[in-house]
């Protein structure tokens, strides 16, 4: 399961002239941390292309708990599904940090796609990617432990937002425990327990709004299911000969 889109962003994939034209269709807007960009079930049809900052895409489950579907950053498009099919929003998108985006009205977006097959192809690829991600998400929830799913999410964050510090790799976007829980489809208590195991094994260090991965190799091993007991709750680190 991945929180990030794996291919080039919509804006980066547009030819320079089309990129300039698309950005001219809307108005720039600033968003504060925690501000809602799009709300699930809303009937608006505008789209946003993110210029800077990170946002989180989230849905409410039948149990009333949130589930994070993805993180979206600079160059990426959000709100396009409702703009294309003109049905209610399928998710809520919220700013994680100060953000800037261009807000493009839905009708202008549809007209832009109609005149540019390449842009339409990019949107189709994006929608296809979401379907694949949904399939992977269901498989992950059914077959992986909380520790595995958390390890995978942390590796995602390391790859996209990590920077070197003396202790290891610090995340530039350290999600709080309740958002990590929403990202891996688990309770906050289960994620707190998994984080405690990672700290005990020297895989991570945590602090207020700070998370440092100190052993990426072991984190990858845990993500793959290695280094865990049959119950999936303990790790094995540097076993002694004969053990």
């Amino acid at each position: 399961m991945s929180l990030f889109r794996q291919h080039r962003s919509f804006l980066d994939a547009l030819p320079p002239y089309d990129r300039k034209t698309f950005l001219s269709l809307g108005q720039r807007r600033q968003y504060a941390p925690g501000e809602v960009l799009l709300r699930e079930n809303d009937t608006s049809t505008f789209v946003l292309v993110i210029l800077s900052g990170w946002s989180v895409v989230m849905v409410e489950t039948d149990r009333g708990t949130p589930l994070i579907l993805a993180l979206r950053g600079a160059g990426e498009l959000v709100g396009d599904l409702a703009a294309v099919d003109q049905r209610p929003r399928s998710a809520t998108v919220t700013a994680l940090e100060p953000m800037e985006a261009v807000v493009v009205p839905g009708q202008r977006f549809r007209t832009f796609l109609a005149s540019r097959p390449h842009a339409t192809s990019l949107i189709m690829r994006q929608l296809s990617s979401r379907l694949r991600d949904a399939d992977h998400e269901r498989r992950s929830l059914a077959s992986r432990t909380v520790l595995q799913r958390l390890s995978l999410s942390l590796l995602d964050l390391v790859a996209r937002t990590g920077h070197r510090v003396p202790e290891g790799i610090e995340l530039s976007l350290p999600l709080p425990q309740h958002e990590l829980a929403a990202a891996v489809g688990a309770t906050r208590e289960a994620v707190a327990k998994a984080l405690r195991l990672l700290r005990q094994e020297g895989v991570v260090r945590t602090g207020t709004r700070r998370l440092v991965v100190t052993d990426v190799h072991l984190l990858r091993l845990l993500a793959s299911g290695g280094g865990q007991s049959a119950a999936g709750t303990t790790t094995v680190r540097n076993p002694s000969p004969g053990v």
Side-chain angles (χ1 to χ4, degrees):
M1 53 195 298
S2 175
L3 294 174
F4 300 94
R5 197 171 304 287
Q6 300 303 309
H7 53 74
R8 294 174 65 194
S9 71
F10 177 79
L11 201 59
D12 288 341
L14 285 177
Y17 179 76
D18 287 348
R19 187 184 309 136
K20 181 178 180 180
T21 300
F22 181 66
L23 292 175
S24 72
L25 298 177
Q27 298 292 324
R28 292 194 178 214
R29 181 176 169 182
Q30 308 286 333
Y31 294 89
E35 187 172 353
V36 173
L37 286 67
L38 305 170
R39 193 175 297 279
E40 187 176 1
N41 294 322
D42 191 71
T43 56
S44 59
T45 62
F46 62 85
V47 301
L48 298 98
V49 58
I50 301 170
L51 300 180
S52 64
W54 286 99
S55 64
V56 58
V57 183
M58 185 180 302
V59 295
E60 290 292 331
T61 67
D62 292 338
R63 294 176 297 175
T65 56
L67 177 65
I68 290 179
L69 302 180
L71 300 177
R72 296 289 178 252
E76 298 192 88
L77 196 67
V78 293
D80 49 295
L81 186 60
V84 170
D85 66 14
Q86 300 181 63
R87 296 177 63 184
R89 302 284 188 192
S90 60
T92 296
V93 182
T94 306
L96 284 174
E97 58 184 1
M99 288 183 58
E100 183 177 17
V102 172
V103 184
V104 178
Q107 183 57 55
R108 292 185 183 179
F109 177 64
R110 292 189 292 272
T111 300
F112 178 81
L113 294 183
S115 64
R116 288 166 173 80
H118 176 65
T120 301
S121 176
L122 292 175
I123 293 300
M124 291 177 62
R125 187 184 308 165
Q126 181 166 290
L127 295 177
S128 175
S129 176
R130 287 176 184 167
L131 288 174
R132 292 180 182 274
D133 288 346
D135 289 341
H136 291 157
E137 178 76 14
R138 286 195 294 270
R139 184 183 305 140
S140 179
L141 289 173
S143 62
R144 292 186 174 124
T145 66
V146 172
L147 184 59
Q148 281 181 278
R149 301 200 302 269
L150 177 61
S151 299
L152 284 167
S153 293
L154 292 178
L155 286 172
D156 241 2
L157 290 164
V158 164
R160 293 294 293 269
T161 75
H163 61 275
R164 286 281 178 185
V165 295
E167 307 101 304
I169 302 177
E170 183 174 2
L171 304 184
S172 299
L173 196 66
L175 298 178
Q177 281 190 16
H178 71 278
E179 290 186 348
L180 283 173
V184 302
T187 64
R188 183 171 182 174
E189 292 74 17
V191 166
K193 181 179 180 180
L195 276 174
R196 185 165 61 251
L197 286 168
L198 293 177
R199 284 195 298 267
Q200 290 171 352
E201 292 298 321
V203 180
V204 303
R205 293 183 183 178
T206 60
T208 304
R209 298 295 297 174
R210 189 170 189 257
L211 193 151
V212 179
V213 175
T214 54
D215 193 332
V216 175
H217 174 73
L218 184 53
L219 190 62
R220 289 197 185 100
L221 184 65
L222 292 169
S224 68
Q228 293 175 257
S229 70
T233 57
T234 59
T235 60
V236 178
R237 187 179 175 91
N238 298 328
S240 60
V243 175

